[in-house]
Amino acid sequence: MIFLTGDVHQMAPQMGDQKRLSAGLTEVTCCEPYLELANKHSVCPTLFFTGLAVKREGDSVSRLAQRYSFEIGGHTYSANSPRALYGLSRRLLGLANGPYWWQRRDMSLTIRCIRERTNVSVTSWRNHAYRTDRNTHKIAASLGIRRVSNCVTGVEGTIRPLDGIFEVPINTPPDHESLGHDYHARRFRSVHGWVDEVLRQVEYQQAHNLPSVILAHPLCMFVEENGLAAFERLCVAIGGGQTAPMRECT
């Protein structure tokens, strides 16, 4: 099975790639053409939203949920802001997401915000920047989360039960890191080159009876030159009943 996923953040100064958007556009508004193309080719993705994105643009997120077929997951409340607090926690406590009570509060706020604005119960989760610590899985399980996607693996990474939940690794090249976007060295010259490599790995995984988990952000696809055309090519290749939202993985 193939799982197409993406992360959606609130507009914030620390999100450097958001500067590529024209005035008035947000990561939430980028979801509409993304979902239009995905659903056109029978792909039902999982999009992980920050609580603040839903709080600030709840009406837009609700309209997306009514119009398109996709799963809404949680992606922390504020995308690990303020950064200084999280940095201090990592250095002093060895906890990437703050003390236990802080991380539980963050996850609870996100889940509640999504439920109140969209009437959706969150069962899938991805932390911003894949941040995981010794408390993450136990907190997730206690809050009704059944699937967490917080790690990037090689091509043979597979879904596994861990601490009462399923760990669902991203086992194809993540778009954000692969295409640069102001944070990383660019691995592929074009977004089409990235799609080529993702599809090559998906083909390998299907031949070896392995799941494929793809990370393609709506924002990255929207701002990358020819990004939506490449994204549609990806959807054409993986569509037709081969995909499922993460809530269906077991």
mmCIF file of all heavy atoms in Angstrom, residues 64-107:
data_model
loop_
_atom_site.group_PDB
_atom_site.id
_atom_site.type_symbol
_atom_site.label_atom_id
_atom_site.label_comp_id
_atom_site.label_asym_id
_atom_site.label_seq_id
_atom_site.Cartn_x
_atom_site.Cartn_y
_atom_site.Cartn_z
ATOM 1 N N LEU A 64 -12.349 22.495 3.139
ATOM 2 C CA LEU A 64 -11.552 21.461 2.475
ATOM 3 C C LEU A 64 -12.039 20.074 2.875
ATOM 4 O O LEU A 64 -12.169 19.180 2.034
ATOM 5 C CB LEU A 64 -10.071 21.621 2.845
ATOM 6 C CG LEU A 64 -9.322 22.820 2.289
ATOM 7 C CD1 LEU A 64 -7.942 22.926 2.935
ATOM 8 C CD2 LEU A 64 -9.180 22.740 0.772
ATOM 9 N N ALA A 65 -12.318 19.901 4.168
ATOM 10 C CA ALA A 65 -12.759 18.595 4.670
ATOM 11 C C ALA A 65 -14.108 18.197 4.082
ATOM 12 O O ALA A 65 -14.378 17.007 3.874
ATOM 13 C CB ALA A 65 -12.828 18.622 6.195
ATOM 14 N N GLN A 66 -14.948 19.173 3.826
ATOM 15 C CA GLN A 66 -16.260 18.887 3.253
ATOM 16 C C GLN A 66 -16.186 18.591 1.760
ATOM 17 O O GLN A 66 -16.980 17.808 1.230
ATOM 18 C CB GLN A 66 -17.204 20.070 3.499
ATOM 19 C CG GLN A 66 -17.553 20.286 4.962
ATOM 20 C CD GLN A 66 -18.269 21.603 5.199
ATOM 21 O OE1 GLN A 66 -18.801 22.222 4.281
ATOM 22 N NE2 GLN A 66 -18.273 22.059 6.443
ATOM 23 N N ARG A 67 -15.223 19.209 1.087
ATOM 24 C CA ARG A 67 -15.169 19.107 -0.375
ATOM 25 C C ARG A 67 -14.298 17.960 -0.864
ATOM 26 O O ARG A 67 -14.582 17.356 -1.907
ATOM 27 C CB ARG A 67 -14.655 20.434 -0.948
ATOM 28 C CG ARG A 67 -14.603 20.453 -2.464
ATOM 29 C CD ARG A 67 -14.248 21.812 -2.993
ATOM 30 N NE ARG A 67 -14.214 21.810 -4.458
ATOM 31 C CZ ARG A 67 -13.863 22.855 -5.198
ATOM 32 N NH1 ARG A 67 -13.531 23.995 -4.621
ATOM 33 N NH2 ARG A 67 -13.845 22.756 -6.510
ATOM 34 N N TYR A 68 -13.231 17.638 -0.131
ATOM 35 C CA TYR A 68 -12.247 16.679 -0.629
ATOM 36 C C TYR A 68 -12.133 15.462 0.286
ATOM 37 O O TYR A 68 -12.498 15.503 1.461
ATOM 38 C CB TYR A 68 -10.876 17.345 -0.772
ATOM 39 C CG TYR A 68 -10.861 18.483 -1.751
ATOM 40 C CD1 TYR A 68 -10.847 19.806 -1.311
ATOM 41 C CD2 TYR A 68 -10.890 18.247 -3.126
ATOM 42 C CE1 TYR A 68 -10.845 20.855 -2.209
ATOM 43 C CE2 TYR A 68 -10.892 19.297 -4.037
ATOM 44 C CZ TYR A 68 -10.872 20.599 -3.571
ATOM 45 O OH TYR A 68 -10.886 21.640 -4.469
ATOM 46 N N SER A 69 -11.592 14.399 -0.281
ATOM 47 C CA SER A 69 -11.355 13.170 0.466
ATOM 48 C C SER A 69 -9.909 13.144 0.945
ATOM 49 O O SER A 69 -8.987 12.997 0.134
ATOM 50 C CB SER A 69 -11.655 11.959 -0.426
ATOM 51 O OG SER A 69 -11.342 10.758 0.248
ATOM 52 N N PHE A 70 -9.705 13.301 2.240
ATOM 53 C CA PHE A 70 -8.368 13.226 2.833
ATOM 54 C C PHE A 70 -8.507 13.084 4.334
ATOM 55 O O PHE A 70 -9.552 13.370 4.912
ATOM 56 C CB PHE A 70 -7.525 14.448 2.474
ATOM 57 C CG PHE A 70 -7.944 15.744 3.136
ATOM 58 C CD1 PHE A 70 -7.234 16.264 4.200
ATOM 59 C CD2 PHE A 70 -9.055 16.445 2.683
ATOM 60 C CE1 PHE A 70 -7.615 17.455 4.814
ATOM 61 C CE2 PHE A 70 -9.457 17.636 3.276
ATOM 62 C CZ PHE A 70 -8.737 18.138 4.356
ATOM 63 N N GLU A 71 -7.442 12.599 4.965
ATOM 64 C CA GLU A 71 -7.406 12.452 6.414
ATOM 65 C C GLU A 71 -6.716 13.666 7.022
ATOM 66 O O GLU A 71 -5.697 14.139 6.512
ATOM 67 C CB GLU A 71 -6.643 11.184 6.804
ATOM 68 C CG GLU A 71 -6.494 11.012 8.313
ATOM 69 C CD GLU A 71 -5.626 9.838 8.715
ATOM 70 O OE1 GLU A 71 -4.981 9.244 7.829
ATOM 71 O OE2 GLU A 71 -5.581 9.507 9.913
ATOM 72 N N ILE A 72 -7.259 14.154 8.133
ATOM 73 C CA ILE A 72 -6.631 15.238 8.882
ATOM 74 C C ILE A 72 -5.899 14.642 10.078
ATOM 75 O O ILE A 72 -6.507 13.972 10.928
ATOM 76 C CB ILE A 72 -7.665 16.268 9.361
ATOM 77 C CG1 ILE A 72 -8.345 16.932 8.159
ATOM 78 C CG2 ILE A 72 -7.003 17.316 10.258
ATOM 79 C CD1 ILE A 72 -9.437 17.916 8.539
ATOM 80 N N GLY A 73 -4.594 14.864 10.135
ATOM 81 C CA GLY A 73 -3.788 14.441 11.268
ATOM 82 C C GLY A 73 -3.247 15.649 12.008
ATOM 83 O O GLY A 73 -3.400 16.791 11.569
ATOM 84 N N GLY A 74 -2.604 15.404 13.155
ATOM 85 C CA GLY A 74 -2.025 16.478 13.955
ATOM 86 C C GLY A 74 -0.542 16.648 13.708
ATOM 87 O O GLY A 74 0.169 15.682 13.430
ATOM 88 N N HIS A 75 -0.078 17.900 13.847
ATOM 89 C CA HIS A 75 1.326 18.229 13.537
ATOM 90 C C HIS A 75 1.901 19.220 14.548
ATOM 91 O O HIS A 75 2.586 20.164 14.182
ATOM 92 C CB HIS A 75 1.403 18.800 12.119
ATOM 93 C CG HIS A 75 2.793 18.921 11.568
ATOM 94 N ND1 HIS A 75 3.659 17.861 11.478
ATOM 95 C CD2 HIS A 75 3.475 19.989 11.076
ATOM 96 C CE1 HIS A 75 4.807 18.260 10.943
ATOM 97 N NE2 HIS A 75 4.719 19.550 10.710
ATOM 98 N N THR A 76 1.637 19.008 15.828
ATOM 99 C CA THR A 76 1.948 19.911 16.936
ATOM 100 C C THR A 76 1.060 21.152 16.855
ATOM 101 O O THR A 76 0.398 21.397 15.842
ATOM 102 C CB THR A 76 3.429 20.352 17.000
ATOM 103 O OG1 THR A 76 3.722 21.287 15.949
ATOM 104 C CG2 THR A 76 4.354 19.161 16.904
ATOM 105 N N TYR A 77 1.053 21.918 17.916
ATOM 106 C CA TYR A 77 0.182 23.093 17.955
ATOM 107 C C TYR A 77 0.802 24.287 17.237
ATOM 108 O O TYR A 77 0.140 24.968 16.456
ATOM 109 C CB TYR A 77 -0.146 23.470 19.398
ATOM 110 C CG TYR A 77 -1.193 24.558 19.486
ATOM 111 C CD1 TYR A 77 -2.519 24.281 19.168
ATOM 112 C CD2 TYR A 77 -0.856 25.857 19.858
ATOM 113 C CE1 TYR A 77 -3.486 25.275 19.228
ATOM 114 C CE2 TYR A 77 -1.810 26.842 19.925
ATOM 115 C CZ TYR A 77 -3.129 26.557 19.600
ATOM 116 O OH TYR A 77 -4.080 27.543 19.641
ATOM 117 N N SER A 78 2.099 24.527 17.474
ATOM 118 C CA SER A 78 2.715 25.748 16.934
ATOM 119 C C SER A 78 3.994 25.488 16.155
ATOM 120 O O SER A 78 4.783 26.405 15.935
ATOM 121 C CB SER A 78 3.015 26.724 18.076
ATOM 122 O OG SER A 78 3.931 26.134 18.994
ATOM 123 N N ALA A 79 4.220 24.235 15.724
ATOM 124 C CA ALA A 79 5.448 23.884 14.996
ATOM 125 C C ALA A 79 6.695 24.198 15.813
ATOM 126 O O ALA A 79 7.646 24.821 15.349
ATOM 127 C CB ALA A 79 5.505 24.588 13.640
ATOM 128 N N ASN A 80 6.668 23.768 17.100
ATOM 129 C CA ASN A 80 7.809 23.911 18.005
ATOM 130 C C ASN A 80 8.246 25.356 18.184
ATOM 131 O O ASN A 80 9.438 25.677 18.119
ATOM 132 C CB ASN A 80 8.987 23.054 17.533
ATOM 133 C CG ASN A 80 8.650 21.586 17.469
ATOM 134 O OD1 ASN A 80 8.716 20.963 16.415
ATOM 135 N ND2 ASN A 80 8.238 21.015 18.581
ATOM 136 N N SER A 81 7.291 26.220 18.392
ATOM 137 C CA SER A 81 7.569 27.619 18.696
ATOM 138 C C SER A 81 7.034 27.916 20.103
ATOM 139 O O SER A 81 5.945 27.449 20.454
ATOM 140 C CB SER A 81 6.886 28.509 17.656
ATOM 141 O OG SER A 81 7.117 29.874 17.928
ATOM 142 N N PRO A 82 7.800 28.630 20.935
ATOM 143 C CA PRO A 82 9.068 29.302 20.654
ATOM 144 C C PRO A 82 10.263 28.342 20.607
ATOM 145 O O PRO A 82 10.369 27.450 21.453
ATOM 146 C CB PRO A 82 9.207 30.278 21.815
ATOM 147 C CG PRO A 82 8.444 29.626 22.939
ATOM 148 C CD PRO A 82 7.306 28.900 22.293
ATOM 149 N N ARG A 83 11.119 28.554 19.640
ATOM 150 C CA ARG A 83 12.236 27.635 19.429
ATOM 151 C C ARG A 83 13.181 27.574 20.616
ATOM 152 O O ARG A 83 13.752 26.528 20.921
ATOM 153 C CB ARG A 83 13.007 28.047 18.171
ATOM 154 C CG ARG A 83 12.253 27.770 16.876
ATOM 155 C CD ARG A 83 13.134 28.043 15.676
ATOM 156 N NE ARG A 83 12.477 27.656 14.432
ATOM 157 C CZ ARG A 83 13.053 27.733 13.236
ATOM 158 N NH1 ARG A 83 14.301 28.181 13.136
ATOM 159 N NH2 ARG A 83 12.396 27.364 12.161
ATOM 160 N N ALA A 84 13.369 28.717 21.298
ATOM 161 C CA ALA A 84 14.319 28.761 22.408
ATOM 162 C C ALA A 84 13.920 27.786 23.503
ATOM 163 O O ALA A 84 14.768 27.108 24.093
ATOM 164 C CB ALA A 84 14.404 30.180 22.963
ATOM 165 N N LEU A 85 12.623 27.688 23.760
ATOM 166 C CA LEU A 85 12.153 26.774 24.810
ATOM 167 C C LEU A 85 12.468 25.332 24.449
ATOM 168 O O LEU A 85 12.952 24.569 25.286
ATOM 169 C CB LEU A 85 10.645 26.957 25.012
ATOM 170 C CG LEU A 85 10.006 26.155 26.145
ATOM 171 C CD1 LEU A 85 8.841 26.922 26.753
ATOM 172 C CD2 LEU A 85 9.527 24.780 25.666
ATOM 173 N N TYR A 86 12.204 24.956 23.192
ATOM 174 C CA TYR A 86 12.454 23.578 22.780
ATOM 175 C C TYR A 86 13.950 23.276 22.741
ATOM 176 O O TYR A 86 14.374 22.169 23.073
ATOM 177 C CB TYR A 86 11.799 23.317 21.428
ATOM 178 C CG TYR A 86 10.293 23.207 21.521
ATOM 179 C CD1 TYR A 86 9.476 24.315 21.336
ATOM 180 C CD2 TYR A 86 9.693 21.993 21.834
ATOM 181 C CE1 TYR A 86 8.087 24.219 21.445
ATOM 182 C CE2 TYR A 86 8.312 21.888 21.953
ATOM 183 C CZ TYR A 86 7.519 23.005 21.758
ATOM 184 O OH TYR A 86 6.157 22.906 21.884
ATOM 185 N N GLY A 87 14.733 24.255 22.329
ATOM 186 C CA GLY A 87 16.181 24.070 22.326
ATOM 187 C C GLY A 87 16.712 23.863 23.731
ATOM 188 O O GLY A 87 17.580 23.016 23.970
ATOM 189 N N LEU A 88 16.194 24.628 24.682
ATOM 190 C CA LEU A 88 16.612 24.501 26.078
ATOM 191 C C LEU A 88 16.216 23.137 26.641
ATOM 192 O O LEU A 88 16.994 22.489 27.348
ATOM 193 C CB LEU A 88 15.960 25.620 26.898
ATOM 194 C CG LEU A 88 16.494 25.847 28.313
ATOM 195 C CD1 LEU A 88 17.955 26.269 28.264
ATOM 196 C CD2 LEU A 88 15.649 26.905 29.021
ATOM 197 N N SER A 89 15.009 22.686 26.295
ATOM 198 C CA SER A 89 14.556 21.374 26.765
ATOM 199 C C SER A 89 15.440 20.256 26.241
ATOM 200 O O SER A 89 15.781 19.321 26.968
ATOM 201 C CB SER A 89 13.102 21.139 26.320
ATOM 202 O OG SER A 89 12.693 19.830 26.631
ATOM 203 N N ARG A 90 15.817 20.362 24.997
ATOM 204 C CA ARG A 90 16.670 19.319 24.401
ATOM 205 C C ARG A 90 18.029 19.284 25.078
ATOM 206 O O ARG A 90 18.562 18.211 25.370
ATOM 207 C CB ARG A 90 16.812 19.560 22.898
ATOM 208 C CG ARG A 90 17.767 18.594 22.205
ATOM 209 C CD ARG A 90 17.703 18.759 20.702
ATOM 210 N NE ARG A 90 16.611 17.966 20.134
ATOM 211 C CZ ARG A 90 16.231 18.012 18.857
ATOM 212 N NH1 ARG A 90 16.830 18.849 18.032
ATOM 213 N NH2 ARG A 90 15.257 17.249 18.415
ATOM 214 N N ARG A 91 18.604 20.462 25.334
ATOM 215 C CA ARG A 91 19.942 20.521 25.927
ATOM 216 C C ARG A 91 19.947 20.096 27.394
ATOM 217 O O ARG A 91 20.835 19.367 27.842
ATOM 218 C CB ARG A 91 20.522 21.932 25.793
ATOM 219 C CG ARG A 91 20.918 22.313 24.381
ATOM 220 C CD ARG A 91 21.784 23.561 24.370
ATOM 221 N NE ARG A 91 21.086 24.709 24.936
ATOM 222 C CZ ARG A 91 20.295 25.523 24.245
ATOM 223 N NH1 ARG A 91 20.079 25.298 22.950
ATOM 224 N NH2 ARG A 91 19.714 26.553 24.832
ATOM 225 N N LEU A 92 18.964 20.550 28.164
ATOM 226 C CA LEU A 92 18.979 20.315 29.602
ATOM 227 C C LEU A 92 18.283 19.030 30.025
ATOM 228 O O LEU A 92 18.688 18.391 31.009
ATOM 229 C CB LEU A 92 18.317 21.500 30.327
ATOM 230 C CG LEU A 92 19.002 22.858 30.168
ATOM 231 C CD1 LEU A 92 18.266 23.918 30.983
ATOM 232 C CD2 LEU A 92 20.466 22.794 30.575
ATOM 233 N N LEU A 93 17.222 18.648 29.305
ATOM 234 C CA LEU A 93 16.420 17.497 29.707
ATOM 235 C C LEU A 93 16.551 16.306 28.767
ATOM 236 O O LEU A 93 16.102 15.207 29.087
ATOM 237 C CB LEU A 93 14.940 17.891 29.799
ATOM 238 C CG LEU A 93 14.588 19.060 30.724
ATOM 239 C CD1 LEU A 93 13.102 19.382 30.621
ATOM 240 C CD2 LEU A 93 14.969 18.735 32.156
ATOM 241 N N GLY A 94 17.157 16.532 27.591
ATOM 242 C CA GLY A 94 17.223 15.467 26.598
ATOM 243 C C GLY A 94 15.868 15.154 26.005
ATOM 244 O O GLY A 94 15.633 14.046 25.518
ATOM 245 N N LEU A 95 14.965 16.143 26.026
ATOM 246 C CA LEU A 95 13.606 15.965 25.515
ATOM 247 C C LEU A 95 13.358 16.942 24.366
ATOM 248 O O LEU A 95 13.368 18.155 24.570
ATOM 249 C CB LEU A 95 12.578 16.194 26.631
ATOM 250 C CG LEU A 95 12.609 15.188 27.788
ATOM 251 C CD1 LEU A 95 11.686 15.638 28.914
ATOM 252 C CD2 LEU A 95 12.209 13.790 27.298
ATOM 253 N N ALA A 96 13.116 16.407 23.187
ATOM 254 C CA ALA A 96 12.983 17.251 22.001
ATOM 255 C C ALA A 96 11.695 18.065 21.993
ATOM 256 O O ALA A 96 11.606 19.091 21.316
ATOM 257 C CB ALA A 96 13.033 16.379 20.745
ATOM 258 N N ASN A 97 10.694 17.610 22.746
ATOM 259 C CA ASN A 97 9.379 18.259 22.694
ATOM 260 C C ASN A 97 8.945 18.850 24.031
ATOM 261 O O ASN A 97 7.761 19.045 24.274
ATOM 262 C CB ASN A 97 8.335 17.246 22.220
ATOM 263 C CG ASN A 97 8.622 16.770 20.808
ATOM 264 O OD1 ASN A 97 8.631 17.546 19.866
ATOM 265 N ND2 ASN A 97 8.889 15.483 20.663
ATOM 266 N N GLY A 98 9.904 19.145 24.883
ATOM 267 C CA GLY A 98 9.585 19.718 26.179
ATOM 268 C C GLY A 98 9.266 18.654 27.213
ATOM 269 O O GLY A 98 9.184 17.458 26.896
ATOM 270 N N PRO A 99 9.065 19.059 28.464
ATOM 271 C CA PRO A 99 8.708 18.103 29.517
ATOM 272 C C PRO A 99 7.423 17.354 29.174
ATOM 273 O O PRO A 99 6.636 17.802 28.334
ATOM 274 C CB PRO A 99 8.515 19.002 30.748
ATOM 275 C CG PRO A 99 9.239 20.263 30.434
ATOM 276 C CD PRO A 99 9.156 20.444 28.944
ATOM 277 N N TYR A 100 7.197 16.251 29.865
ATOM 278 C CA TYR A 100 6.025 15.416 29.595
ATOM 279 C C TYR A 100 4.745 16.245 29.564
ATOM 280 O O TYR A 100 3.952 16.150 28.623
ATOM 281 C CB TYR A 100 5.918 14.321 30.658
ATOM 282 C CG TYR A 100 4.795 13.338 30.438
ATOM 283 C CD1 TYR A 100 5.024 12.097 29.858
ATOM 284 C CD2 TYR A 100 3.482 13.647 30.826
ATOM 285 C CE1 TYR A 100 4.001 11.179 29.661
ATOM 286 C CE2 TYR A 100 2.451 12.746 30.625
ATOM 287 C CZ TYR A 100 2.713 11.515 30.043
ATOM 288 O OH TYR A 100 1.682 10.629 29.847
ATOM 289 N N TRP A 101 4.517 17.062 30.592
ATOM 290 C CA TRP A 101 3.268 17.827 30.693
ATOM 291 C C TRP A 101 3.130 18.817 29.538
ATOM 292 O O TRP A 101 2.019 19.070 29.052
ATOM 293 C CB TRP A 101 3.184 18.549 32.035
ATOM 294 C CG TRP A 101 4.228 19.640 32.214
ATOM 295 C CD1 TRP A 101 5.460 19.521 32.772
ATOM 296 C CD2 TRP A 101 4.094 21.003 31.807
ATOM 297 N NE1 TRP A 101 6.137 20.721 32.744
ATOM 298 C CE2 TRP A 101 5.313 21.657 32.162
ATOM 299 C CE3 TRP A 101 3.083 21.743 31.192
ATOM 300 C CZ2 TRP A 101 5.533 23.012 31.908
ATOM 301 C CZ3 TRP A 101 3.308 23.103 30.934
ATOM 302 C CH2 TRP A 101 4.510 23.711 31.295
ATOM 303 N N TRP A 102 4.252 19.365 29.092
ATOM 304 C CA TRP A 102 4.218 20.341 27.997
ATOM 305 C C TRP A 102 3.846 19.658 26.671
ATOM 306 O O TRP A 102 3.001 20.154 25.921
ATOM 307 C CB TRP A 102 5.572 21.031 27.878
ATOM 308 C CG TRP A 102 5.624 22.066 26.783
ATOM 309 C CD1 TRP A 102 5.892 21.865 25.457
ATOM 310 C CD2 TRP A 102 5.360 23.463 26.913
ATOM 311 N NE1 TRP A 102 5.826 23.040 24.754
ATOM 312 C CE2 TRP A 102 5.500 24.038 25.626
ATOM 313 C CE3 TRP A 102 5.037 24.292 27.999
ATOM 314 C CZ2 TRP A 102 5.328 25.402 25.391
ATOM 315 C CZ3 TRP A 102 4.859 25.655 27.757
ATOM 316 C CH2 TRP A 102 5.004 26.193 26.469
ATOM 317 N N GLN A 103 4.495 18.524 26.404
ATOM 318 C CA GLN A 103 4.201 17.817 25.158
ATOM 319 C C GLN A 103 2.761 17.306 25.154
ATOM 320 O O GLN A 103 2.076 17.376 24.119
ATOM 321 C CB GLN A 103 5.168 16.641 24.963
ATOM 322 C CG GLN A 103 4.976 15.939 23.621
ATOM 323 C CD GLN A 103 6.032 14.886 23.325
ATOM 324 O OE1 GLN A 103 6.021 14.269 22.260
ATOM 325 N NE2 GLN A 103 6.967 14.678 24.237
ATOM 326 N N ARG A 104 2.276 16.818 26.282
ATOM 327 C CA ARG A 104 0.893 16.357 26.345
ATOM 328 C C ARG A 104 -0.080 17.523 26.119
ATOM 329 O O ARG A 104 -1.090 17.372 25.417
ATOM 330 C CB ARG A 104 0.620 15.688 27.697
ATOM 331 C CG ARG A 104 -0.787 15.105 27.781
ATOM 332 C CD ARG A 104 -1.059 14.432 29.124
ATOM 333 N NE ARG A 104 -2.441 13.988 29.189
ATOM 334 C CZ ARG A 104 -2.895 12.847 28.686
ATOM 335 N NH1 ARG A 104 -2.047 12.005 28.110
ATOM 336 N NH2 ARG A 104 -4.175 12.547 28.775
ATOM 337 N N ARG A 105 0.230 18.658 26.699
ATOM 338 C CA ARG A 105 -0.618 19.837 26.497
ATOM 339 C C ARG A 105 -0.634 20.247 25.032
ATOM 340 O O ARG A 105 -1.688 20.562 24.468
ATOM 341 C CB ARG A 105 -0.110 20.986 27.369
ATOM 342 C CG ARG A 105 -0.836 22.320 27.171
ATOM 343 C CD ARG A 105 -0.261 23.375 28.109
ATOM 344 N NE ARG A 105 -0.870 24.673 27.883
ATOM 345 C CZ ARG A 105 -0.443 25.559 26.984
ATOM 346 N NH1 ARG A 105 0.611 25.248 26.219
ATOM 347 N NH2 ARG A 105 -1.037 26.724 26.841
ATOM 348 N N ASP A 106 0.551 20.230 24.393
ATOM 349 C CA ASP A 106 0.656 20.601 22.977
ATOM 350 C C ASP A 106 -0.188 19.681 22.100
ATOM 351 O O ASP A 106 -0.955 20.138 21.240
ATOM 352 C CB ASP A 106 2.124 20.543 22.551
ATOM 353 C CG ASP A 106 2.330 20.920 21.089
ATOM 354 O OD1 ASP A 106 2.175 20.045 20.210
ATOM 355 O OD2 ASP A 106 2.643 22.092 20.826
ATOM 356 N N MET A 107 -0.068 18.382 22.320
ATOM 357 C CA MET A 107 -0.828 17.419 21.529
ATOM 358 C C MET A 107 -2.325 17.534 21.805
ATOM 359 O O MET A 107 -3.149 17.482 20.888
ATOM 360 C CB MET A 107 -0.324 15.997 21.790
ATOM 361 C CG MET A 107 1.117 15.775 21.350
ATOM 362 S SD MET A 107 1.728 14.103 21.668
ATOM 363 C CE MET A 107 0.940 13.221 20.326
#
